[in-house]
Amino acid sequence: MTGGRPNLVLVHGAWHGPWCWELLGPELESRGWAVSAVDLPSTWGDPESGMQDDARAVREHLAAIDGPVTVLAHSYGGLPATEGAGPNTERIIYLAAHLLKEGEALVTPLGGPWFPAETEFAPGAEPLEAYYHDVPAGWARKAVGLLRAQSAKAFTEELTRASWRTIPSALIVCDDDRSMPEMFIERAVTERMADVVRHLPGGHSPFLARPRELAELIDEVTAALPGAPPGSPLWTN
């Protein structure tokens, strides 16, 4: 807890950075959360930084927080959040995010990489259509300009642990997600990798498209997860 407020750590997805939480952060803080964000090294322009480096960044960030933490991980960020969750991680919320098993990399369910083996930085989809089709135009243009190079290594390194097996977890499915392959969501739901599954209208980036609605849903799934205190979230206005 930070000043009596519950801690929420945000883990961004591939090609992104902490900037993507600019609209969601104030919404969460207004609801009583103490919010902080991890900056994943695999998006810093170093092709040698991979998923394990990102997981280490998550682990170190969590270790610096006094008290229990809820982690919100978006898209690829689900992998380092799963790998790096620490002893104080109370719950994980996967936002349009990958839930994988031990021994799997992001490319494993796809049958392998979509890029040549020697690729240093992974090619992404056309961002306005894949990530921001329902984001207000001004913010969509700004977001495209802020996207970073993403190391390909991050997509080929395998998980050594799957924290969703032991930590109460929720999956938020974006119903018009044009980025996340449907097979990942179907498998997570069918194999019950998350304790709670909720749906949100719209595309892959609700933190920019509908931040208030997303903040409300984060409160709701937090209360619904195992181990939440009666009447949670106690900090809502």
Side-chain angles (χ1 to χ4, degrees):
M1 304 286 280
T2 302
R5 297 180 297 159
N7 299 298
L8 182 62
V9 168
L10 308 176
V11 182
H12 64 79
W15 297 284
H16 286 68
W19 58 264
C20 72
W21 309 116
E22 185 174 332
L23 301 182
L24 179 63
E27 293 287 347
L28 294 167
E29 289 171 349
S30 73
R31 302 180 71 83
W33 291 99
V35 178
S36 60
V38 181
D39 195 354
L40 299 180
S42 70
T43 65
W44 295 355
D46 178 5
E48 295 304 313
S49 290
M51 189 276 295
Q52 291 294 341
D53 297 290
D54 292 341
R56 187 175 305 110
V58 171
R59 192 176 300 116
E60 291 173 354
H61 188 98
L62 292 171
I65 296 175
D66 182 20
V69 181
T70 296
V71 175
L72 175 73
H74 178 244
S75 198
Y76 158 78
L79 275 66
T82 296
E83 181 78 10
N88 63 338
T89 305
E90 196 168 45
R91 56 184 71 87
I92 304 174
I93 301 173
Y94 293 88
L95 172 62
H98 296 274
L99 285 89
L100 299 183
K101 302 173 183 178
E102 303 90 339
E104 292 184 332
L106 186 144
V107 299
T108 303
L110 298 174
W114 64 93
F115 43 82
E118 66 275 11
T119 300
E120 291 189 336
F121 297 104
E126 197 290 311
L128 284 176
E129 172 62 19
Y131 312 143
Y132 310 129
H133 73 90
D134 59 341
V135 172
W139 248 109
R141 289 192 299 269
K142 179 179 178 179
V144 170
L146 292 171
L147 292 174
R148 301 164 160 181
Q150 173 64 54
S151 79
K153 183 179 180 181
F155 296 155
T156 59
E157 282 194 329
E158 297 176 351
L159 290 176
T160 66
R161 60 192 295 251
S163 295
W164 51 264
R165 295 191 189 276
T166 56
I167 298 174
S169 299
L171 172 63
I172 295 177
V173 179
C174 297
D175 286 334
D176 192 16
D177 194 330
R178 302 180 185 179
S179 175
M180 173 71 71
E182 191 173 339
M183 61 178 293
F184 286 99
I185 300 299
E186 287 181 350
R187 188 178 76 151
V189 172
T190 300
E191 299 189 19
R192 299 187 177 183
M193 295 180 178
D195 300 290
V196 171
V197 178
R198 294 290 186 270
H199 290 257
L200 189 66
H204 192 62
S205 304
F207 40 83
L208 297 178
R210 44 186 55 80
R212 179 170 297 179
E213 189 175 351
L214 176 57
E216 292 172 353
L217 186 55
I218 290 167
D219 275 355
E220 193 273 319
V221 298
T222 300
L225 282 170
S232 294
L234 301 177
W235 49 90
T236 54
N237 294 326

